[in-house]
Amino acid sequence: MRRKIVAGNWKMNKSLAQGLQLFDDIINSPDHQQTNVLTIIAPSFIHLSAVAEKVKTNPNIAVAAQNCHHLSSGAYTGEVSAEMIKSAGAEYVIIGHSERRLYNNETIDLLIQKVNIALKNKLTPIFCIGENSDERHSNKHLEAIKFQLKDTLFHLSAIDFGKLIIAYEPVWAIGTGVTATSHQAQGMHNFIRAEINKKYGKEISEQITILYGGSCNPQNAKELFSCLDVDGGLIGGSSLKATDFISICNSF
Ligand code: PGA
């Protein structure tokens, strides 16, 4: 059985005090005591260790970085390595988010290196894929996703691929208030699982967690999460308010 996961991507939001308060409001809430859902929080780099310190004793909550550098160490001013992230107490790292692909020119080559170095440092990549609105409107969305999977992830061995979490995030839905319908989400998640099945076989494709991301909120989470191949969500805007985020965690 695939574990349900709700991951909150705080992006470039919250001071340290605000982030710790939000975290406390989430885990101390009597409404957030479910053990069948893994909650992952992705604060900014500089808040990672403070948040990770708080999750140590709770097996149902973990911490993710929002990015990592593609090389192991060296003279790269301002960058953060996978090893540093691991040493700060995070277990997960988001890689390939469309905002980083767009604003930081992250190429396929770079993303391959990031996945490899994350795995080498025993971090679980939450790898984001998603078509843009042109691809969706010209009916090229399946092809786009197929290439993203193949180009950035299918070099991995079956063992390493099995360690990943995939986040399907249609670019047109991120931060726009426009959510994929449950029909669109299920269709794509099922397609992703089928592509994985073709490459790695049934066991791996059935075991891999595929999250939906893009304007997921307390109003639409239940319907999205009820889809057979949707194992949870990667949540941006709605992860910044404890009651909204908790309500999404309770939407299975
Ligand atoms: P959103 O962001 O929930 O604000 O659309 C999702 C994401 O970027 O992961």
Side-chain angles (χ1 to χ4, degrees):
M1 248 281 266
R2 298 187 291 272
R3 191 163 189 203
K4 305 296 183 192
I5 296 178
V6 176
N9 176 7
W10 289 356
K11 306 192 180 183
M12 198 173 73
N13 292 293
K14 305 290 176 192
S15 67
L16 179 58
Q18 289 167 341
L20 294 178
Q21 185 63 54
L22 173 58
F23 184 85
D24 285 343
D25 290 346
I26 294 166
I27 51 161
N28 295 333
S29 164
D31 296 329
H32 186 265
Q33 304 304 330
Q34 62 284 66
T35 52
N36 61 330
V37 180
L38 173 65
T39 302
I40 301 175
I41 300 291
S44 77
F45 282 137
I46 58 164
H47 303 339
L48 265 185
S49 33
V51 176
E53 192 58 38
K54 285 177 172 276
V55 312
K56 265 188 185 156
T57 52
N58 190 331
N60 300 314
I61 188 152
V63 174
Q66 297 174 17
N67 174 39
C68 70
H69 196 263
H70 60 287
L71 297 174
S72 52
S73 64
Y76 302 101
T77 303
E79 296 293 345
V80 177
S81 72
E83 186 184 7
M84 291 169 182
I85 291 166
K86 182 74 181 181
S87 72
E91 300 291 333
Y92 298 83
V93 58
I94 299 171
I95 298 177
H97 193 283
S98 63
E99 285 156 12
R100 292 206 58 86
R101 292 183 197 239
L102 179 65
Y103 304 133
N104 299 80
N105 301 317
E106 294 200 348
T107 59
I108 286 170
D109 230 31
L110 201 76
L111 296 177
I112 291 173
Q113 292 182 64
K114 289 188 182 209
V115 169
N116 292 346
I117 205 140
L119 287 168
K120 192 169 159 210
N121 284 280
K122 301 198 162 36
L123 288 168
T124 299
I126 302 173
F127 194 85
C128 304
I129 53 178
E131 81 281 3
N132 62 33
S133 76
D134 284 353
E135 288 162 335
R136 170 64 66 171
H137 287 121
S138 56
N139 214 23
K140 295 221 164 67
H141 49 294
L142 297 179
E143 207 179 314
I145 294 300
K146 185 175 173 163
F147 282 123
Q148 288 181 31
L149 280 169
K150 187 168 142 285
D151 290 350
T152 42
L153 297 177
F154 281 1
H155 66 286
L156 293 170
S157 68
I159 292 183
D160 277 345
F161 191 89
K163 295 173 185 160
L164 302 179
I165 294 171
I166 308 267
Y168 167 58
E169 300 209 303
V171 179
W172 46 269
I174 296 177
T176 58
V178 180
T179 321
T181 63
S182 55
H183 182 74
Q184 288 171 323
Q186 170 56 21
M188 187 59 93
H189 282 229
N190 185 262
F191 175 78
I192 292 167
R193 217 178 283 289
E195 288 299 304
I196 296 169
N197 185 8
K198 271 197 240 161
K199 169 75 181 168
Y200 292 105
K202 193 167 170 58
E203 199 182 326
I204 302 248
S205 72
E206 283 301 319
Q207 135 210 335
I208 205 108
T209 296
I210 309 176
L211 307 179
Y212 169 80
S215 299
C216 186
N217 61 40
Q219 286 73 46
N220 58 34
K222 233 187 186 77
E223 192 181 335
L224 287 162
F225 294 176
S226 69
C227 300
L228 197 64
D229 289 297
V230 177
D231 304 314
L234 178 54
I235 317 298
S238 291
S239 71
L240 297 173
K241 199 172 151 206
T243 48
D244 285 355
F245 189 64
I246 293 168
S247 157
I248 294 172
C249 294
N250 287 332
S251 294
F252 291 96

